[in-house]
Amino acid sequence: MGQDIDTGSAHSARIYDYIIGGKDHYPADREAGDAMCREWPALPVHMRANRDFMNRAVRHLAEEAGIRQFLDIGTGIPTSPNIHEIAQSASPGARVVYVDNDPLVLRLSQGLLNSTPEGRTAYIEADMRDPASILHAPELRATLDLTQPVALTVIAIVHFMMDEDDAVGIVRRLLDPLPSGSYLAMSIGTAEFAPEEVGRVAREYAARGMPMRLRTLAEAREFFAGLDLVEPGIVQVHKWHPDGAGTEVVRDADIAMYGAVARKP
Ligand SMILES: C[S@@+](CC[C@H](N)C(=O)[O-])C[C@H]1O[C@@H](n2cnc3c(N)ncnc32)[C@H](O)[C@@H]1O
């Protein structure tokens, strides 16, 4: 597997890991991360707030909405707590399927498979742009019961989907087979609160072969059409169910991500 990992070029999963304080990155990722932080010093605050939103959304889904099954697209390098750790602390029998297309995430996926004995986790190496390969994967069918509600989590990934990829259509196709009472949790990159700074960071990604598609609030809403948004709707991630762990002191201009959770009627 090692030969698949291009350590000479920066990669989105590893830049994120570097900036949120992980340990699985290479010099090219650190060079990219440092360049991006020079362009926008708030980038670590923004990325940390995204990860914290994911944690709060999963906790809400497990504890308040009673969700026991999760399908996570664009998982990233394992960073504790991962989704199964949060969900299984609320409900030890929770089941989680993780999906990513980065070979390094596959290599480190053992860190995602340390399920409780009562629960279950699985990892699928797949490209989100091919939702059928995810939905038909034997690991998904062996892990999740699609007659019961599932939370689809799509956190900090659709900004890597270009218009021709039709991210809204992909999310729709992934939600289609899930029963009523399932949920969608997403975070969606936006330049609406710091257009110049976020624009400069996007140019740094693009210069390294990772073009970005940032979205307006109206575009973010398209992902949730036909679903019932959980209060407070679509807001910057630090404003979604703040838990007093520091999110309340974050400045709006430092956050370039909308977040929301919605229920499939
Ligand atoms: C910024 S990380 C987000 C990680 C995690 N969801 C979080 O928010 O903490 C984005 C992840 O999406 C993955 N990714 C990007 N494009 C993808 C695609 N087309 N299919 C599957 N995964 C993809 C990357 O490899 C990376 O791990």
Side-chain angles (χ1 to χ4, degrees), residues 13 16 50-51 74-76 100-102 127-128 155-157 161:
Y16 182 69
N50 171 72
R51 187 78 185 181
T75 296
D100 206 288
N101 71 345
D102 178 1
D127 192 312
M128 179 188 185
I155 309 295
I157 171 169
M161 301 285 124

Side-chain angles (χ1 to χ4, degrees), residues 32-54:
D34 290 342
M36 291 167 187
C37 289
R38 279 194 296 276
E39 295 298 346
W40 191 35
L43 188 61
V45 174
H46 154 82
M47 287 186 171
R48 188 70 251 168
N50 171 72
R51 187 78 185 181
D52 291 346
F53 159 75
M54 182 187 92

Side-chain angles (χ1 to χ4, degrees), residues 245-256:
T247 41
E248 61 288 342
V249 298
V250 171
R251 292 168 355 122
D252 291 359
D254 290 350
I255 302 297

Side-chain angles (χ1 to χ4, degrees), residues 130-218:
D130 182 8
S133 71
I134 298 170
L135 293 170
H136 297 143
E139 297 90 338
L140 184 145
R141 299 287 167 161
T143 309
L144 302 182
D145 172 0
L146 298 190
T147 68
Q148 298 299 313
V150 176
L152 174 67
T153 53
V154 186
I155 309 295
I157 171 169
V158 291
H159 53 279
F160 295 119
M161 301 285 124
M162 300 297 104
D163 285 344
E164 60 271 24
D165 296 324
D166 182 21
V168 172
I170 291 170
V171 170
R172 198 80 356 207
R173 282 197 284 286
L174 290 168
L175 275 176
D176 268 346
L178 308 184
S180 167
S182 292
Y183 281 82
L184 172 65
M186 281 188 83
S187 67
I188 299 160
T190 183
E192 291 195 311
F193 302 91
E196 283 179 24
E197 295 84 344
V198 176
R200 289 202 299 268
V201 171
R203 278 195 287 284
E204 294 287 336
Y205 274 99
R208 293 170 176 80
M210 295 169 280
M212 267 194 182
R213 174 67 167 87
L214 297 157
R215 290 177 169 80
T216 63
L217 178 58

